[in-house]
Each structure stands twice: as structure tokens, then as C-alpha cells.
Amino acid sequence: MIISLIIGAVLVAVTVIIYNSIISRYNKVKRAWSDVIVQERQKEKIIPELERIVKQYDAYESELQQGITSLRTMMGEISEGEINTKKLQEVEASTSQILKGINVSMESYPELKASSLYNNLMTELTEQQENVGAAIRIFNNNVEVHNTGIESFPNNLVNSLLNKKDVLELFSDTASSDSFEFKPNL
Amino acid sequence: MFRHNKKLTALLKSIKISAQQSNNSADILDAVKMAKAFEGDIKFQHNPFYLCSGAAIATAVLIWYQPQIISQWELDHNLFLSILAVLAIVPLIFVYTQRKKITSLSDFIFAKDCRFDNHMESISVSDSVISQLPTRFIEFKRGNYSRKFISATHVAAQHSALANEYYLYKFHYVDRRTVTTTSTDANGKVTTSTKTVYDHYDRYGITLDFGFIKQFQISNKRMLRKPRDYNSASIAFSKKFAIGASTELAAAKYLKPKIVLLVMDLAKHFSDLNIEFDTQGHLCLAFRDSDVFSRKRVHGLAQPNAFYEELQGQTALDKLDILTTFINQLAKYSDNNFEETT
């Protein structure tokens, strides 16, 4: 009788620990996702400044304006509450295109390229972009820990009965991975 | 043989004096040239000492098993064995000491050349920058028995891989603890004894005027000056490190995703990291690794030509490069890109 009670108490304790650890890791994934969005928003704040200075130099082209407008729209569609890696991929691809577009446009305006404010803005934008990349790496790392945490035994039993959390999708840069011929057998 | 050993001792003495007085890498190479010019091997000849030691051990073994051999001489058995033990051990100690002279001198020469190559200048531990570190950083609140700086080095701004000059140090601390042991003898009598144990530890670090971050710390939970609940979203980072800062907001501001990844990468190369910024923006980055400011040599004075070639090259300190690259990256992602224009 006593042994059964001890075994039962140990099982309950283990279940509670696993349940809480799944919740904790899932919340960390959600927070890492929020950080990605926060970094994206930080980047967004630089764009009006960039627009303003580009306009001063008459280097503002309608194509570039359209790109910046669509980037803003896409950024508005990704939210902190919902993990949507596909939409994030679109935003990231769009950012790269716009940055390339700005750099190409600026080739014709040497006085703009020499402007320290323009250079500072571009440095800031690059660093923000690198921070977005770092936030994505942290998000992916947390997703990996979360997925392992709900797929390994006996966590999978606790998850299927109590937590009911799904395996989360990693963020992957399809534009970059498409350029590789090798596709891992995952 | 004894003439060779005498000449070799004189040579080592000359090399040591030259190495001690050297002011640059060329002086070091000149000192090693003396070894290259030496006629004969840079190795002491110790055959008679080995012979003496071996004979004493063989005699002791023989007497141990056949004590009657010396009984006719009316000698004290134990005294005779003790004399043999001395005759066996003393020559070996002498051999070890002489061999050590060559390896120690090689170490000294290599370390000094490494310092010249990396523009490191030894400074006194009582230098104000070093002596004031314990008042500015919690890193030095270690050791409940004693703590002291062992050595300090300065790298001037013009030779620094960083934007500013920097200082390197070695710090030693001792923890004292009491250990109680309980033993039971054959009669069931329990005896309790206590003894004091001293644990010795070395820490190493780099310190400089950083400027972009103030009152912030990335370390383990025990060593935080102002612990904050805030931590990175990274599961791996928050398992390894805790954050100290003046406010939660400051912690969030400094702990950018890129910086989190940089620290995680640094932690792959350094153990027991403590990254601390004081109220003035000075950085003290401390760790347990002893191989950051020096490197192991491949050759020594026993192979003078190979050693000379080794010294001729630039001695790169790979882990110091990792450290300076990290600090430069930290500055890049912590500075204000608009400071000059706004």
C-alpha cells in the first residue's frame, strides 16, 4: 500500500515537472518570436528617416517607394501573438530586395553616398537586420528545444494527454536554401 | 663529461642574462644564437648520477632480501638502508634540477618573445589601474581567505587590436573550508576530526575603457552585483548566464539578440565567464582559462635551430584574438550609430 502511494506520488511529481517544463519552453519560444517581431519593428522605425534623407537628394524613385510601402504592409501583418514563419520569410526577403534596391539607386548619387547621416542610417539598418537574424537564430534554437521536449519519452505522453502542444515550425530562408542543390533527407 | 656540464651551465647562465636584459625580439634571437653556436648537445650528461642511483637501489634491494650480507660488518641495518636511499634519491633530484634549468629557461625565452611579438608590457600589480579593480568589479570578491594579483600586462593603444589600450591580469584567490571526518575503529569507537583545507584558484581577465555599456553584467547567478529577473529569450543563454543591471530596462536595452549570440559563441572558448561593466563604462572580462595570454612552445633550447626558427615567426595568441574580436563586435553592436550627427 505504502509502496503504491510512494510510486503514485513520484509519478505525479514527475508529470508536474514535465508539464511545467513544456509550458516554460513553449513560453520561451513565444517570447523569442516576440523578440523577432520587436527587432523587425526597430528596423521599420529607421525606414522613414531613410526616406526623408533620400527625398532631400531627389533620389527617391517610385519603385523604391512601392517597395517601402509593401514592406510596411507586410510588417503590419506579422504579429507577436501568432507565430507565422512564412510571413516572416516574406518580410525578410522583401527587406533584402529593398536594401539592394536602395544601394543600386544610390550609385547614381555620390553626394548622397558621402552623406554621414545616410551612412549612419545604412549602418544602423544593417545592424538591425543582423539583430533580426540573431533573434531568428534564437527563435529556431528555442523551437528545437521545445520540439525535442515534446517528442522525447516520457514527455510525449504528458504532452499528448495534458499540454497538447504541437511541434513548431523552424524559420528557414527558402530563398537561400533553394540555391543549394543538396537537400538533407529530413 | 663534467667539462661539458660546466660549459653548458655557463652557457645557460649567459643566455639567461641576455634574455633577461632583452628589449625586443632581435635580442631574444641573439640570446638563442649562443645556444646554436654551442659545440655539443644542449643536454647535461648524467650517466654517473644514474649509475650511482641505480647501484644504490640495487644494493638496497639486495640487502632487503639478504640482510645477512651486511651482518658481518656490524652496521645498523636501517641506517645503512637510509644511506642507500639518500644515495639513490639525491642524484635523481640533481638530474631533475639540471634538466629543469633548460626547460625553465626555454619557457622564459618563449614567453618573453611572445610578449614582444604581441607588444605586451609587464607592469606592476600595484599599478593604479590594476590595484583599483577590486573596488570597481565584483569579479574580485572571491576567496574567503586571501586574494591577490599575480601579474599584470599593458598593451598600448597603438598596438591594440581594440580601439583603446587594455590591461591583462592574473588573479589568485584562496577559499578556506573546514572538513569534518568521522571514522570508526575496530572496537566501534567513533572518532571525529576536523581539518582546514585551502583551495587555490586562478582567474584571468582583460580590462579596458569600453564606454558604450554601463552597470551591466553577464555572469552566473552567484557573482551578480545587481541581479535582475530579466534574461534573454534564448533557452541556452538563460541556462548558462544570469543578468545584472541598474534596471530591467537597461538589461533589455543592452541584451540585444546579436550580443546574446556573441556571448554564447565566446562561451564555447572560455570557461566560467564573467562580463562586467562598471558605472563608468569600464569593462572587466574574466575567465578561468590560463592559455589566453601565452602559448605552449613546440621546441626548446635542447633543439636550438628549431627553437630559433620558432622564435623568428610571429607568436599568435589565438584565444586573445577571439577575445579582442568579441570586444570589437560588442562595441559595434552597442555603440550609437548617430552619436556624431545628432
Side-chain angles (χ1 to χ4, degrees):
Chain A
M1 179 64 183
I2 293 170
I3 291 172
S4 306
L5 279 172
I6 291 170
I7 292 171
V10 168
L11 278 175
V12 169
V14 169
T15 306
V16 168
I17 290 167
I18 293 173
Y19 179 88
N20 287 343
S21 63
I22 291 172
I23 296 286
S24 160
R25 286 191 292 263
Y26 183 73
N27 286 341
K28 278 278 192 184
V29 173
K30 278 184 14 188
R31 207 192 124 192
W33 174 255
S34 296
D35 277 6
V36 174
I37 307 301
V38 166
Q39 289 302 322
E40 283 287 352
R41 299 264 185 273
Q42 287 277 97
K43 200 171 67 184
E44 194 187 349
K45 282 176 191 161
I46 305 163
I47 291 171
E49 288 301 311
L50 199 62
E51 276 181 294
R52 192 175 56 78
I53 186 168
V54 168
K55 271 178 185 168
Q56 282 174 5
Y57 284 86
D58 295 329
Y60 198 58
E61 294 170 9
S62 61
E63 224 173 276
L64 206 58
Q65 188 185 12
Q66 278 174 10
I68 291 171
T69 311
S70 63
L71 179 64
R72 280 219 189 91
T73 314
M74 269 188 273
M75 278 181 174
E77 286 172 15
I78 50 171
S79 73
E80 290 180 33
E82 183 201 0
I83 298 173
N84 188 339
T85 53
K86 286 199 173 60
K87 190 58 77 182
L88 182 63
Q89 276 171 27
E90 288 171 21
V91 173
E92 283 302 289
S94 181
T95 307
S96 301
Q97 283 301 318
I98 288 165
L99 285 177
K100 272 182 205 162
I102 292 173
N103 280 326
V104 169
S105 304
M106 292 311 109
E107 290 299 321
S108 327
Y109 302 93
E111 72 278 18
L112 177 58
K113 280 186 83 179
S115 152
S116 61
L117 181 57
Y118 169 76
N119 282 315
N120 290 347
L121 279 167
M122 289 309 284
T123 305
E124 182 70 17
L125 200 56
T126 310
E127 284 181 17
Q128 292 292 355
Q129 186 60 25
E130 283 170 343
N131 268 312
V132 172
I136 290 171
R137 271 180 66 188
I138 291 170
F139 167 75
N140 275 351
N141 198 297
N142 287 4
V143 167
E144 183 199 330
V145 175
H146 165 79
N147 288 348
T148 309
I150 60 169
E151 288 180 319
S152 55
F153 180 82
N155 300 25
N156 55 349
L157 296 178
V158 177
N159 185 53
S160 59
L161 290 170
L162 302 169
N163 299 81
K164 300 186 192 303
K165 298 287 179 207
D166 294 324
V167 169
L168 297 171
E169 208 173 311
L170 289 164
F171 174 87
S172 65
D173 188 344
T174 44
S176 299
S177 60
D178 284 350
S179 62
F180 289 112
E181 274 189 33
F182 172 75
K183 301 275 183 266
N185 183 26
L186 296 171
Chain B
M1 185 208 74
F2 287 109
R3 206 162 146 243
H4 170 83
N5 285 359
K6 203 175 167 187
K7 275 168 69 182
L8 187 53
T9 306
L11 172 79
L12 293 178
K13 203 175 170 185
S14 307
I15 294 175
K16 191 176 180 179
I17 292 168
S18 299
Q20 279 171 339
Q21 291 173 348
S22 62
N23 293 314
N24 50 46
S25 289
D27 290 346
I28 288 282
L29 289 173
D30 284 343
V32 180
K33 267 184 192 164
M34 287 193 259
K36 281 177 75 176
F38 184 71
E39 285 174 10
D41 291 341
I42 312 279
K43 191 181 174 188
F44 285 103
Q45 291 174 356
H46 291 129
N47 290 347
F49 299 100
Y50 289 130
L51 208 65
C52 171
S53 184
I57 292 168
T59 312
V61 170
L62 192 69
I63 290 167
W64 185 264
Y65 288 106
Q66 304 286 330
Q68 68 275 14
I69 294 174
I70 58 163
S71 56
Q72 53 186 316
W73 298 328
E74 293 179 3
L75 282 171
D76 183 298
H77 184 256
N78 288 337
L79 176 69
F80 195 67
L81 281 178
S82 303
I83 292 167
L84 287 175
V86 170
L87 285 174
I89 292 166
V90 169
L92 292 180
I93 292 173
F94 181 73
V95 166
Y96 173 79
T97 315
Q98 281 211 314
R99 279 190 171 184
K100 187 87 181 147
K101 270 184 195 169
I102 299 175
T103 53
S104 301
L105 186 55
S106 303
D107 288 342
F108 176 76
I109 290 170
F110 188 77
K112 195 148 187 187
D113 183 62
C114 179
R115 298 177 83 82
F116 287 138
D117 284 350
N118 293 282
H119 306 284
M120 293 171 165
E121 177 203 352
S122 283
I123 55 166
S124 164
V125 290
S126 56
D127 184 280
S128 61
V129 173
I130 301 299
S131 61
Q132 282 173 16
L133 288 176
T135 60
R136 298 190 343 224
F137 299 102
I138 199 169
E139 161 67 21
F140 304 99
K141 301 245 180 310
R142 296 173 188 264
N144 60 15
Y145 180 71
S146 71
R147 50 185 90 148
K148 64 175 177 180
F149 286 99
I150 302 291
S151 61
T153 303
H154 173 243
V155 176
Q158 68 264 34
H159 301 300
S160 170
L162 303 168
N164 297 326
E165 61 176 350
Y166 63 87
Y167 296 83
L168 308 167
Y169 66 80
K170 180 179 178 181
F171 177 72
H172 183 81
Y173 67 95
V174 182
D175 273 332
R176 182 169 63 180
R177 62 192 166 92
T178 307
V179 179
T180 307
T181 46
T182 309
S183 57
T184 312
D185 64 13
N187 302 321
K189 191 183 172 193
V190 178
T191 320
T192 305
S193 62
T194 56
K195 64 173 180 175
T196 307
V197 178
Y198 297 89
D199 299 313
H200 293 254
Y201 302 96
D202 285 325
R203 298 268 302 167
Y204 303 81
I206 181 169
T207 183
L208 66 143
D209 184 5
F210 187 74
F212 306 117
I213 300 177
K214 286 172 184 170
Q215 272 193 292
F216 182 62
Q217 194 185 358
I218 300 173
S219 185
N220 60 47
K221 278 192 181 108
R222 278 184 301 116
M223 285 306 293
L224 290 178
R225 189 188 288 272
K226 287 178 181 289
R228 296 287 158 202
D229 287 335
Y230 183 85
N231 207 327
S232 161
S234 165
I235 294 172
F237 182 90
S238 42
K239 253 187 195 173
K240 212 174 174 81
F241 297 108
I243 300 299
S246 52
T247 60
E248 303 270 331
L249 190 67
K253 183 183 148 197
Y254 294 137
L255 207 58
K256 291 173 188 167
K258 190 70 192 173
I259 288 175
V260 168
L261 291 187
L262 285 174
V263 173
M264 290 296 284
D265 284 342
L266 188 72
K268 287 178 192 161
H269 303 281
F270 293 86
S271 53
D272 204 0
L273 270 177
N274 177 24
I275 304 170
E276 210 178 332
F277 300 87
D278 73 356
T279 48
Q280 308 296 313
H282 291 108
L283 163 66
C284 178
L285 199 162
F287 39 83
R288 224 172 37 205
D289 310 64
S290 60
D291 55 347
V292 180
F293 315 140
S294 58
R295 224 185 65 184
K296 275 192 179 167
R297 60 186 168 80
V298 180
H299 304 286
L301 283 169
Q303 311 92 30
N305 292 321
F307 191 43
Y308 186 84
E309 275 181 31
E310 191 179 350
L311 293 169
Q312 264 185 324
Q314 181 77 16
T315 311
L317 296 172
D318 299 338
K319 285 186 93 169
L320 184 61
D321 286 346
I322 293 171
L323 203 58
T324 51
T325 305
F326 165 79
I327 294 169
N328 281 328
Q329 292 278 299
L330 197 64
K332 181 185 167 189
Y333 292 102
S334 311
D335 66 348
N336 181 352
N337 290 321
F338 303 101
E339 208 155 49
E340 285 173 10
T341 52
T342 51

